[in-house]
Amino acid sequence: AQSVSQHNHHVILSEAASLELGCNYSYGGTVNLFWYVQYPGQHLQLLLKYFSGDPLVKGIKGFEAEFIKSKFSFNLRKPSVQWSDTAEYFCAVGYNFNKFYFGSGTKLNVKP
Amino acid sequence: DTEVTQTPKHLVMGMTNKKSLKCEQHMGHRAMYWYKQKAKKPPELMFVYSYEKLSINESVPSRFSPECPNSSLLNLHLHALQPEDSALYLCASSYTGELFFGEGSRLTVL
């Protein structure tokens, strides 16, 4: 079965620190890649997505992610986090048009 | 209209009840999904409908029964659920390889 791995389960940062969350997947074919964010008590929101082209994609709220095909990775980054970024972050992989699977999530706490 | 609408937002049911969750989208998307999300866990894929036909069933127990009456509607019929089925049930649709989620139906089974 295909899998999506997020190695950081819980990350605690101070405001203005830089963020990098790891995501690896196991599918060898063509994939679409996503990062979703879930703020406390809210529904999933799309942060950014990669389908093709430039492997460095920019999303909302200053987030970006880089697709490295040789490493099967799609890591999420933000140069300077804010307290309002406290949330859970999910990496997701879509393949074969209609199959989407999520990683286990990374809970980010940003201390003011 | 870029919304996926789910009703009800909250549902409490006993183990002998029969209830249904409903999902609607008017974006012309031909794939629709049910996911289950337990607290502090990622969404788990349950069912996928593609062009109104069930294309993926992730070994979900038969007490969950999906239905896709037309291209805009997706139902999840619930019967004889267990307390461990309490969770947030998310509906999503897709067309161009991106998932659009509803806000979910929070189900509590007593």
Side-chain angles (χ1 to χ4, degrees), chain A residues 17-29:
Chain A
S18 64
L19 170 72
E20 180 159 2
L21 302 182
C23 174
N24 290 89
Y25 62 94
S26 64
Y27 185 66

Side-chain angles (χ1 to χ4, degrees), chain A residues 82-97:
Chain A
Q82 301 173 322
W83 177 78
S84 57
D85 293 323
T86 294
E88 187 139 23
Y89 293 81
F90 293 99
C91 179
V93 175
Y95 64 96
N96 287 354
F97 178 69

Side-chain angles (χ1 to χ4, degrees), chain A residues 27-100:
Chain A
Y27 185 66
T30 301
V31 295
N32 296 327
L33 298 161
F34 308 85
W35 276 97
Y36 285 85
V37 61
Q38 191 169 32
Y39 298 102
Q42 296 191 24
H43 64 289
L44 287 161
Q45 300 175 37
L46 182 67
L47 268 182
L48 48 76
K49 61 188 177 187
Y50 172 80
F51 286 1
S52 64
D54 188 343
L56 184 63
V57 292
K58 296 192 184 298
I60 61 171
K61 306 186 181 189
F63 286 91
E64 64 178 32
E66 185 175 13
F67 170 51
I68 303 179
K69 188 174 182 179
S70 61
K71 295 185 178 180
F72 297 89
S73 70
F74 189 56
N75 291 354
L76 181 71
R77 300 195 291 248
K78 185 170 184 178
S80 176
V81 295
Q82 301 173 322
W83 177 78
S84 57
D85 293 323
T86 294
E88 187 139 23
Y89 293 81
F90 293 99
C91 179
V93 175
Y95 64 96
N96 287 354
F97 178 69
N98 63 1
K99 294 186 177 181
F100 294 86

